[in-house]
Amino acid sequence: MKLKLSTITLALLPFFSHQVLADDNLETIVVTGDFQNETIQTLSASASVVDELTIAKRGAQYLDEILGATANVNFTAGASRGRFMQIRGIGLRSQFVDPIYPSVGLLIDGINYSGLGASALLFDTESVVVYRGPQGTKFGSDALAGIVEVNTQAATTAPSLKVKLGAGNYGSYEAGLAAGTGLSDDTAVRVSLYQRESDGYVDNLYLNKPTQQQDEQVARVKLNSQVSDNLALEFAYHHIDTENGYDGFTLDNSRNSVADTPGQDNLSSDAFSLRGIYTRSDLFNVEFKVSGLDADTLYSYDEDWVCNDAAQPALCAAGLHPEGYSSTDAYERNHENGDIEFLIKDKQNDWVVGVFAKRNDVDLTRHYTWLENPFTSAYTVESKAIFGQYVHHLSDKTRLIGGLRAEQYDADYLDSNGFSIETDDVMWGGKVALEYQVVPRTMIYTSLTRGYKVGGVNGEALAKAKDEGLNIPAEHHYFDPEYVWNAEFGVKGESEDKRHLVRVTAFYMQRDDIQLKQWQVSNQQFAGYIDNASKGSNYGLEVEGNLQYTDRLGFSYSAGYLETEIEDFVAASGLNLDGRDQAQAPNYQYSFAVNYELMDNLVVELGVEGKDNYYLSDSHNEQARNHNLINASLSYYGDNWSLTAWGRNLADEDIVVRGFRFGNNPLDGWQDNTYVQYGEPRVYGLSFSYEL
């Protein structure tokens, strides 16, 4: 490994030390993942930034529509959207009864939306930052595999206006309005409203209508105020309302459903954050952040996927079979989350100490055909943490960074089956990094980080513990925390004329007490639960960059290589997973785009992206096949407006975004089959934007 990393470094350094291109700068983007404002080129961690222009060219309205442009990032659906993310092969794939703690966190304007991926609508977004690898010092248990930050446009005292209108195939349209102004010389406000609708990509032949439709709205308010010379405040408020259909699986693995009771995937949430910076002291600054969220979700589906109408014998053959069945499953949740953070930073940002506390309450009501009464549960997690980081300047070119975080959590679980379980633990994470500025535009770094994820309760196992045909041992009623050690070596460079940026990272991750989702299946009954394997390893390489080759011709690219392994684990089905790849971990991913200015103000972009095949689950060996997608856009830029024609997946490939294996078809004698949900097919549209 040392020889390979040294070879990478030596090969890249001469390129960044000489001017080879003409004058034209790529945008410099600031990130805050290491307790300080810095560019992505100086951050001693692997990270990607997707900016507003890239979002617009892709015609992206939601987070999963841009993740293909980032290395070693994947997602699953099993819902109306791809709202479960994985980074470097680590991350949850679904949620049913279990109260979950995601391995990949989601922050929007500093508000913790982890576990509520449906909230990630992108209108009026300035940037999306993806941090890969455990971020144990700053984010703690929310970032075992990494974290995604969505940053919307800030309020400024300069008057501003943005109008966006768009339409596309599958009956989709969008409309957005954002406006900002100064309320005084020291206070600014920005308000944005957005709505999108689409018929979705599933036609229900029995009901004769689309049944995976999307109806999504978001309203945001941001307020910034320099209250005094020493105190600045930032406030954000979000209201999100999504009412989407969910009808993603069929017995023939097509986009034509015959379900008579298709499901829903809804979210209604209100959230706020308040951040303050106090700078009066000559020695340090004081910062605080308070945030809260109240959300109601509904996730439901037709469990049999078919109809049982005698008037439609052909469409409803499976449902009318003598062994056929009909059932629905619905999960209503109320989420109440709150957190507070208080920290002290020195004026030079060389050290920071802080304390953090949060509480998450999730109440579940499950309505299931085969339950005599609804199943209910209440799950509360309280966490308290103390953390600190110190930067030691070994020389003008070398910095040593050390950080540590200790976190205690206490969880209480109570359900209508009479189970009451309390769990608690103390966990710690941290970071040690050495940075060396080789030349003014090129940095190399090496780091060792530790992340953690809380243990918990297997709510689904408890909910079905008394079901006939299922026998879930008591040791699977709960699971232990997971820990990850992550070693990285990175090179980040920029050409002298600032026209070529590149970032290369090699990493090795060791997972201890790895949390794996398992399924116990008996006839048409199934129960999922999380079990701890002994170990796992994830290692690979990430490369990302931008090149403005000429004034008119530019390139952007990313590539990820990933090897994963599960050690010493046998699934509940008896399948021996020792030595097998982990689920949702393709061996390679790539993205390449070329943009060319055909004439003044007219730009065309053509891109390809793809990923290797990968396992769909840790409980069976079925795989999603590899794929390669073609995307394109044509944009015209006027003085204050732009018009973009865009398309994604132009070759119309069927992309698997979730898969299960079990028997659900009485027509074939309940044989085990692989059933998959497909992501978006060929989509295209036209977007108009006006800004002042």
Side-chain angles (χ1 to χ4, degrees):
M1 177 66 78
K2 289 183 178 178
L3 176 59
K4 291 181 179 179
L5 296 177
S6 299
T7 302
I8 293 172
T9 306
L10 292 173
L12 291 173
L13 293 185
F15 181 77
F16 298 120
S17 299
H18 295 84
Q19 179 170 338
V20 294
L21 300 171
D23 296 331
D24 196 9
N25 295 343
L26 294 176
E27 182 180 7
T28 299
I29 297 175
V30 174
V31 297
T32 59
D34 223 0
F35 294 107
Q36 55 188 327
N37 294 333
E38 58 185 321
T39 72
I40 194 171
Q41 295 298 109
T42 62
L43 177 71
S44 56
S46 179
S48 300
V49 173
V50 181
D51 62 12
E52 183 181 17
L53 181 60
T54 302
I55 293 171
K57 287 182 177 180
R58 293 175 71 95
Q61 298 97 16
Y62 180 76
L63 183 61
D64 67 357
E65 296 163 356
I66 64 171
L67 293 179
T70 59
N72 283 335
V73 180
N74 204 357
F75 69 89
T76 61
S80 64
R81 290 287 202 175
R83 52 187 176 90
F84 300 96
M85 294 176 287
Q86 304 86 38
I87 295 178
R88 295 176 175 174
I90 304 175
L92 295 178
R93 299 182 297 280
S94 61
Q95 181 182 21
F96 294 96
V97 177
D98 296 333
I100 63 171
Y101 231 97
S103 301
V104 178
L106 174 63
L107 298 177
I108 305 177
D109 291 334
I111 302 171
N112 194 336
Y113 282 90
S114 300
L116 297 170
S119 56
L121 297 165
L122 297 180
F123 174 68
D124 204 33
T125 291
E126 180 180 29
S127 66
V128 176
V129 186
V130 179
Y131 298 97
R132 286 179 285 265
Q135 311 292 314
T137 307
K138 183 172 183 180
F139 299 110
S141 56
D142 287 322
L144 176 79
I147 201 159
V148 177
E149 282 188 326
V150 179
N151 304 303
T152 65
Q153 296 287 349
T156 62
T157 54
S160 60
L161 175 68
K162 176 191 290 185
V163 177
K164 183 178 183 181
L165 300 172
N169 59 337
Y170 293 98
S172 66
Y173 77 86
E174 61 176 332
L177 173 67
T181 189
L183 301 179
S184 68
D185 291 342
D186 302 315
T187 303
V189 65
R190 185 176 182 89
V191 178
S192 65
L193 303 169
Y194 176 76
Q195 180 171 7
R196 178 184 180 272
E197 291 191 10
S198 172
D199 291 338
Y201 317 122
V202 173
D203 290 321
N204 190 299
L205 303 182
Y206 176 69
L207 298 177
N208 195 31
K209 66 178 183 179
T211 46
Q212 190 128 335
Q213 72 280 2
Q214 297 164 346
D215 185 354
E216 301 162 327
Q217 303 174 49
V218 59
R220 302 187 185 105
V221 178
K222 300 186 81 172
L223 183 70
N224 297 343
S225 180
Q226 188 69 43
V227 179
S228 68
D229 291 341
N230 302 308
L231 178 62
L233 296 177
E234 299 176 359
F235 174 79
Y237 167 77
H238 299 170
H239 174 74
I240 300 172
D241 189 3
T242 67
E243 297 183 1
N244 294 350
Y246 174 46
D247 194 14
F249 286 89
T250 62
L251 294 179
D252 62 355
N253 284 331
S254 72
R255 297 183 189 270
N256 296 317
S257 170
V258 294
D260 52 9
T261 315
Q264 296 174 271
D265 188 16
N266 300 343
L267 165 69
S268 178
S269 68
D270 294 278
F272 78 93
S273 70
L274 176 65
R275 180 171 177 262
I277 303 176
Y278 185 71
T279 61
R280 183 168 184 175
S281 170
D282 294 332
L283 300 177
F284 54 81
N285 297 333
V286 176
E287 298 184 15
F288 70 88
K289 183 178 76 71
V290 180
S291 69
L293 179 146
D294 188 339
D296 293 304
T297 62
L298 170 62
Y299 174 72
S300 65
Y301 54 91
D302 188 322
E303 191 173 49
D304 54 275
W305 307 340
V306 296
C307 51
N308 55 6
D309 185 350
Q312 297 281 351
L315 285 179
C316 303
L320 294 171
H321 190 277
E323 296 182 9
Y325 73 103
S326 178
S327 62
T328 60
D329 208 352
Y331 303 84
E332 297 176 353
R333 283 183 170 87
N334 173 256
H335 304 254
E336 293 184 0
N337 304 339
D339 61 64
I340 182 168
E341 183 176 72
F342 178 87
L343 53 86
I344 300 174
K345 292 181 178 180
D346 79 316
K347 295 291 187 178
Q348 290 74 38
N349 284 327
D350 283 340
W351 59 263
V352 57
V353 294
V355 294
F356 174 83
K358 71 176 177 180
R359 175 175 172 136
N360 296 345
D361 293 295
V362 182
D363 295 328
L364 166 68
T365 301
R366 183 191 186 201
H367 302 274
Y368 185 40
T369 299
W370 309 116
L371 291 178
E372 186 175 342
N373 297 302
F375 170 81
T376 62
S377 69
Y379 186 58
T380 298
V381 180
E382 293 184 352
S383 297
K384 306 175 187 67
I386 183 170
F387 57 88
Q389 181 170 286
Y390 179 72
V391 180
H392 180 54
H393 297 266
L394 298 176
S395 71
D396 291 342
K397 294 185 175 182
T398 309
R399 299 198 310 171
L400 179 64
I401 301 174
L404 189 66
R405 184 185 186 103
E407 182 170 343
Q408 177 184 357
Y409 79 92
D410 298 277
D412 296 316
Y413 174 88
L414 178 67
D415 69 26
S416 55
N417 282 341
F419 288 98
S420 178
I421 297 178
E422 297 181 3
T423 58
D424 62 86
D425 213 325
V426 176
M427 306 166 294
W428 67 271
K431 173 179 179 175
V432 176
L434 183 65
E435 303 175 355
Y436 179 62
Q437 199 73 32
V438 183
V439 293
R441 299 162 307 282
T442 301
M443 181 191 80
I444 62 174
Y445 75 91
T446 184
S447 66
L448 179 66
T449 57
R450 188 181 198 248
Y452 53 87
K453 178 182 176 182
V454 303
V457 176
N458 281 314
E460 186 164 0
L462 295 174
K464 299 183 177 182
K466 300 179 181 179
D467 289 3
E468 263 187 60
L470 295 176
N471 180 24
I472 301 173
E475 62 263 27
H476 295 319
H477 291 175
Y478 55 88
F479 54 95
D480 295 327
E482 178 180 350
Y483 299 90
V484 170
W485 286 97
N486 176 62
E488 286 189 6
F489 177 88
V491 181
K492 299 187 176 187
E494 181 180 31
S495 61
E496 188 174 352
D497 56 12
K498 300 183 180 180
R499 304 190 93 188
H500 191 192
L501 299 175
V502 69
R503 299 174 294 279
V504 181
T505 304
F507 64 92
Y508 182 88
M509 306 172 73
Q510 180 67 48
R511 303 177 66 181
D512 295 321
D513 295 323
I514 175 175
Q515 296 176 4
L516 298 178
K517 186 68 176 283
Q518 293 297 296
W519 296 91
Q520 187 177 116
V521 180
S522 176
N523 296 320
Q524 281 62 64
Q525 291 182 295
F526 63 92
Y529 59 89
I530 295 175
D531 197 3
N532 291 98
S534 60
K535 291 181 180 180
S537 60
N538 305 50
Y539 61 91
L541 188 70
E542 291 145 359
V543 180
E544 293 187 330
N546 302 84
L547 170 63
Q548 191 65 40
Y549 188 70
T550 69
D551 289 344
R552 291 184 177 272
L553 178 63
F555 304 92
S556 61
Y557 56 88
S558 71
Y561 170 70
L562 179 64
E563 290 284 352
T564 63
E565 184 179 8
I566 300 170
E567 300 178 24
D568 302 325
F569 186 76
V570 178
S573 62
L575 178 66
N576 188 351
L577 297 178
D578 184 38
R580 204 206 74 172
D581 286 354
Q582 298 165 25
Q584 292 295 130
N587 287 137
Y588 68 80
Q589 292 179 248
Y590 74 91
S591 173
F592 179 81
V594 55
N595 60 84
Y596 184 73
E597 188 174 359
L598 298 171
M599 59 182 70
D600 290 347
N601 302 328
L602 184 63
V603 179
V604 62
E605 180 166 296
L606 179 64
V608 292
E609 63 186 57
K611 63 184 69 169
D612 194 15
N613 56 291
Y614 56 87
Y615 289 101
L616 292 166
S617 174
D618 293 320
S619 57
H620 59 73
N621 278 333
E622 300 305 307
Q623 298 187 39
R625 66 180 180 86
N626 67 314
H627 64 258
N628 302 280
L629 307 183
I630 301 172
N631 309 315
S633 67
L634 180 66
S635 302
Y636 182 83
Y637 300 95
D639 291 339
N640 297 308
W641 60 274
S642 65
L643 185 65
T644 298
W646 54 266
R648 298 191 301 271
N649 190 11
L650 293 178
D652 200 22
E653 288 202 38
D654 286 330
I655 309 303
V656 173
V657 294
R658 191 69 175 108
F660 297 96
R661 184 168 179 80
F662 60 97
N664 202 38
N665 189 353
L667 298 176
D668 65 10
W670 306 107
Q671 293 183 21
D672 283 352
N673 290 291
T674 301
Y675 298 109
V676 299
Q677 178 188 2
Y678 296 117
E680 63 179 20
R682 179 193 297 119
V683 291
Y684 52 84
L686 192 65
S687 298
F688 170 81
S689 182
Y690 178 81
E691 293 191 50
L692 283 177

